[in-house]
Amino acid sequence: MELGSRGAAPGGVSVSAVLPAGGSGERLGGTTPKQFCAVQGRPLVSYAVRAMERISWISDVIVVVSPENIETMKTIMEKYGHKKVTVVEGGITRHRSIFNGLKVFAENDFSSHLLQKPEVVIIHDAVRPFVEEDIVSKVVMAAKEHGAAGAIRPLVSTVIASAADGCLDHSLERARYRASEMPQAFLFDIIYEAYQQCTEHDLDYGTECLHLALKYCKTNAKLVEGTADLWKVTYKRDLYAAESIIKDNLSQQVCVITNVKETLARVGFLLPESLKSQIKVEAISVSLSENDSHLQNIISGQCYNFVCVNDKRCAIQEIQELVDMLEKSSIPLLYPVVLILVHLDVSENNSFNIGMEDLTAIKKFARETKKKNILVYGLLIQCK
């Protein structure tokens, strides 16, 4: 689905999201707040924003940042094409920042333009980059029914309390407790009322939004079992873990494209057969000059690896069609796309029939597409 399109939200409600991104990253170490640290060359906050933007039924994404990082966030918006985002100045604590994000929908004097108030608002950390639409949908549906909802995960370690002398006081029964995760969702009127009523102490020292809804609006949140990828980037080692997950996700699928010629179709069959034990493979035989619906569906499914097999001396014009399709899908905005051009030489000559002029054209093409986050590689194979 094209970025910025609007689909039907779960239960037919209007939905927006608030992403607090004002933390200092003290536990991470270093001078750069963790939400602005680069993972695979892209700021972490951009991944979280993109995860929300790709959900067609989320109307607006409010990113709340500290005053000194407003221009940084606006630069990220422009560079990575974030279209649904409104940047808001945060407060000195997490709760104050979230409250500021909610005010954009309710207070005329807080923003230059008042956004349409959603029925349900999602709250999600800007340093949780791997949230999927399925869990977001479940939390929104639960919030519509119960007024508030949040993702949870089993506790990994037992929680203990220490006495004043530093010795063990008591421990909690781990099976009875859960870790509160994100995303969370609320009927907007409930969470906004909770923030309006809460004390200065809550705003300065509290961290749990579900607790505010319970304490001030008597709304008992529905807890939704979350997935293992909802974890939060907190320490420096988490950045390396995030990068590893991204690389792993990018290598899960490849699309092999050939045209309809018999020799190429045979190669297009053998290549997937040899790869399918290691990776998910989609193989199609089509001319790239055609607007093929199957190929469009593969791109929409977020495939980032393509192998194009051809026997033309220089197939740049056809490959440009694929590049245009990828650009239109906005997929390269999130992760780099790998495009491998396999030239199959089926002539009876002993030497390759690609000359220096063609190689120069391919190199120039690769340099231009790299600027669009599409990495082009070439492979020459002589087939007898």
Side-chain angles (χ1 to χ4, degrees), residues 286-350:
V286 64
S287 172
L288 289 173
S289 60
E290 301 173 2
N291 190 13
D292 183 74
S293 59
H294 188 190
L295 180 56
Q296 289 279 8
N297 288 337
I298 292 171
I299 293 174
S300 298
Q302 296 188 44
C303 179
Y304 291 91
N305 306 286
F306 296 85
V307 177
C308 299
V309 184
N310 69 83
D311 62 349
K312 295 183 179 179
R313 290 184 64 244
C314 191
I316 291 178
Q317 186 172 351
E318 277 200 18
I319 299 303
Q320 184 64 56
E321 299 283 345
L322 177 58
V323 169
D324 292 341
M325 291 170 68
L326 289 167
E327 274 197 282
K328 186 177 291 187
S329 73
S330 298
I331 281 181
L333 289 175
L334 186 57
Y335 302 120
V337 174
V338 174
L339 179 53
I340 301 176
L341 311 181
V342 179
H343 174 75
L344 196 64
D345 188 347
V346 295
S347 68
E348 296 182 359
N349 297 331
N350 290 327

Side-chain angles (χ1 to χ4, degrees), residues 27-46:
R27 286 173 291 182
L28 186 78
T31 57
T32 303
K34 56 192 172 185
Q35 60 270 26
F36 298 115
C37 286
V39 179
Q40 286 288 91
R42 185 188 186 101
L44 193 63
V45 62
S46 182

Side-chain angles (χ1 to χ4, degrees), residues 117-133:
K117 185 181 77 172
E119 296 170 78
V120 173
V121 62
I122 298 162
I123 297 176
H124 184 70
D125 288 324
V127 289
R128 297 179 191 260
F130 301 119
V131 62
E132 296 292 338
E133 181 172 353

Side-chain angles (χ1 to χ4, degrees), residues 213-258:
L214 177 61
K215 183 177 179 180
Y216 293 103
C217 298
K218 303 296 186 288
T219 300
N220 204 349
K222 179 68 174 177
L223 304 180
V224 180
E225 196 68 35
T227 54
D229 55 5
L230 294 179
W231 55 275
K232 179 181 178 182
V233 172
T234 303
Y235 301 103
K236 194 168 186 177
R237 62 176 179 268
D238 296 330
L239 289 174
Y240 300 124
E243 186 167 359
S244 178
I245 291 171
I246 291 169
K247 287 180 178 178
D248 186 59
N249 289 341
L250 294 181
S251 62
Q252 292 302 308
Q253 182 180 3
V254 62
C255 175
V256 178
I257 305 172
T258 61

Side-chain angles (χ1 to χ4, degrees), residues 101-118:
L102 295 173
K103 288 177 181 177
V104 174
F105 300 106
E107 300 184 17
N108 282 305
D109 58 350
F110 190 78
S111 177
S112 58
H113 63 287
L114 191 67
L115 297 178
Q116 182 177 352
K117 185 181 77 172

Side-chain angles (χ1 to χ4, degrees), residues 359-372:
L359 290 175
T360 301
I362 292 172
K363 287 180 179 179
K364 181 180 178 182
F365 177 72
R367 284 194 299 269
E368 291 301 315
T369 57
K370 187 176 181 180
K371 298 174 185 176
K372 304 170 183 177

